[in-house]
Amino acid sequence: MKNRILLGADGKDHDFVKMVLEIRTELGFNHTNEGELASFIAYAQAFPAGFLALVDTYDTLKSGVPNFVCVALALLQLGYKPVGIRLDSGDLSYLSRATRRMLNDIGARTDPGLAKCSILASNEINRSVLISLKQQGHEIDAFGIGTHLVTCDEQPAMGCVYKLVEAKGVPRIKLSQELGKMTIPGKKEIYRLFGEDGYSLLDLMIKVGDQPPEPEKRTLCHHPFDHIKRVYVTPSRVIPLHHCVWDGKRVYPDVPLRESRDYVLGQLRSTREDHLRDINPTPYKISVSEELYNYVYHLWTEESPVTELK
């Protein structure tokens, strides 16, 4: 990292990166994700008095929390008080208890201030989740409640999140213990494939620049994260779903409201009834091409932390 320095509470400059790496070596946390550690260091340098780390990007207990510990201990040495960690996926009860044990155990050996760090939790928290967590036992100090604070089950909100998939031409992937929160890296195009009966079969993602699917041509479609789930599709019709709307300025013409309505109704008519029913609808398939699947799998294994058993 180019900027290695952090001003301590003593008014002196310190090589913060060196401090963190030395702590990492002493604790034996050398198998955590280094990109995540670098981001934690940069965040701590920018907000040394407000360091609160989201720890589930790669692996909560094997990478996120250990990386937080290394940075938090360095901040404590410089006179700052790190805030804590945030859990946003997985078994919140188990992860909070395991995190608290780690903070207490390492804090007892190094700096008691580490054990004072808070554990925050989010991820679709509602009344039922709070009751369940209390029954299971947890070590969560505070909850982040958003969607269910302002909506109810009878008037729900649709949660949408923008996630980085490429930075300066380099593909990026978010790993999570919840497959639904993992991202598919790189720039992509998506096509809707239709069957002989006129209904849509699935949506297929490919890497930008790869050969798109063609009508009457058999195509292998993979589940994004499960190598067992795959299917051959020979579509009767293929339509692209991506259109560039904004490229520094609006490049796609305004669509009249009536035209948008007609488009939505047409999409509904081409969707099977079992996908649209209210009770136990059939999940609609979102697939990736064989080339994109192999690419995702390679990046997945490259970015996942390697554990060591003793």
Side-chain angles (χ1 to χ4, degrees):
M1 296 178 64
K2 293 182 179 180
N3 181 19
R4 303 173 62 93
I5 305 304
L6 179 62
L7 181 67
D10 57 3
K12 299 179 181 179
D13 288 336
H14 298 266
D15 190 333
F16 189 62
V17 175
K18 180 180 179 182
M19 293 175 62
V20 172
L21 294 180
E22 287 177 348
I23 292 171
R24 187 188 191 209
T25 300
E26 292 172 4
L27 296 177
F29 289 153
N30 294 315
H31 296 288
T32 61
N33 185 277
E34 293 186 351
E36 180 182 58
L37 180 62
S39 69
F40 283 6
I41 291 173
Y43 180 23
Q45 288 175 304
F47 304 100
F51 180 55
L52 175 66
L54 179 65
V55 294
D56 69 342
T57 301
Y58 296 97
D59 187 293
T60 298
L61 298 179
K62 296 175 183 177
S63 183
V65 176
N67 279 337
F68 166 79
V69 167
C70 296
V71 177
L73 286 175
L75 287 173
L76 286 166
Q77 289 182 16
L78 296 182
Y80 295 104
K81 295 180 180 179
V83 177
I85 64 105
R86 178 164 74 96
L87 303 171
D88 192 48
S89 62
D91 186 331
L92 297 179
S93 174
Y94 167 74
L95 292 174
S96 68
R97 285 183 276 114
T99 297
R100 179 55 67 196
R101 282 196 301 271
M102 191 180 300
L103 297 178
N104 288 343
D105 291 346
I106 298 175
R109 304 197 312 264
T110 56
D111 190 317
L114 187 65
K116 298 179 181 179
C117 290
S118 298
I119 298 175
L120 287 77
S122 51
N123 189 26
E124 296 296 317
I125 303 294
N126 58 28
R127 179 174 177 273
S128 298
V129 173
L130 291 172
I131 292 173
S132 177
L133 287 171
K134 184 177 181 180
Q135 292 172 343
Q136 296 175 57
H138 66 83
E139 289 289 343
I140 299 169
D141 299 297
F143 294 94
I145 303 176
T147 301
H148 295 283
L149 185 65
V150 296
T151 63
C152 64
D153 291 339
E154 295 301 319
Q155 195 176 20
M158 183 179 74
C160 294
V161 181
Y162 283 101
K163 293 190 177 180
L164 183 72
V165 294
E166 187 172 297
K168 297 182 179 179
V170 179
R172 299 298 185 190
I173 186 172
K174 171 183 169 58
L175 301 180
S176 173
Q177 293 170 317
E178 295 183 29
L179 290 181
K181 290 198 170 187
M182 287 183 59
T183 57
I184 299 175
K187 293 181 179 179
K188 299 169 290 292
E189 296 173 343
I190 188 164
Y191 295 84
R192 182 155 293 165
L193 279 54
F194 292 83
E196 295 178 349
D197 57 5
Y199 290 112
S200 55
L201 296 170
L202 54 81
D203 291 349
L204 179 68
M205 278 187 282
I206 69 171
K207 291 171 60 180
V208 167
D210 284 354
Q211 180 66 35
E214 301 176 17
E216 308 303 334
K217 184 175 181 180
R218 192 171 74 157
T219 302
L220 181 60
C221 303
H222 275 273
H223 185 284
F225 306 113
D226 189 338
H227 69 281
I228 297 297
K229 296 181 178 179
R230 58 199 190 280
V231 64
Y232 279 110
V233 175
T234 303
S236 63
R237 185 162 62 102
V238 176
I239 62 170
L241 298 183
H242 275 174
H243 302 282
C244 183
V245 175
W246 185 271
D247 187 9
K249 61 179 181 179
R250 189 178 182 92
V251 296
Y252 195 82
D254 290 328
V255 179
L257 182 60
R258 180 176 294 277
E259 186 177 329
S260 295
R261 179 179 182 274
D262 291 342
Y263 174 80
V264 171
L265 292 176
Q267 294 295 302
L268 292 174
R269 284 192 292 268
S270 65
T271 303
R272 295 202 320 259
E273 291 184 1
D274 58 303
H275 291 308
L276 299 174
R277 64 192 178 205
D278 289 335
I279 307 299
N280 296 324
T282 302
Y284 185 77
K285 290 183 178 63
I286 306 296
S287 302
V288 297
S289 65
E290 185 173 17
E291 294 80 10
L292 181 54
Y293 174 82
N294 292 333
Y295 180 70
V296 171
Y297 184 80
H298 170 74
L299 198 59
W300 188 358
T301 55
E302 189 178 73
E303 292 293 337
S304 295
V306 179
T307 59
E308 182 176 353
L309 301 178
K310 296 182 180 179

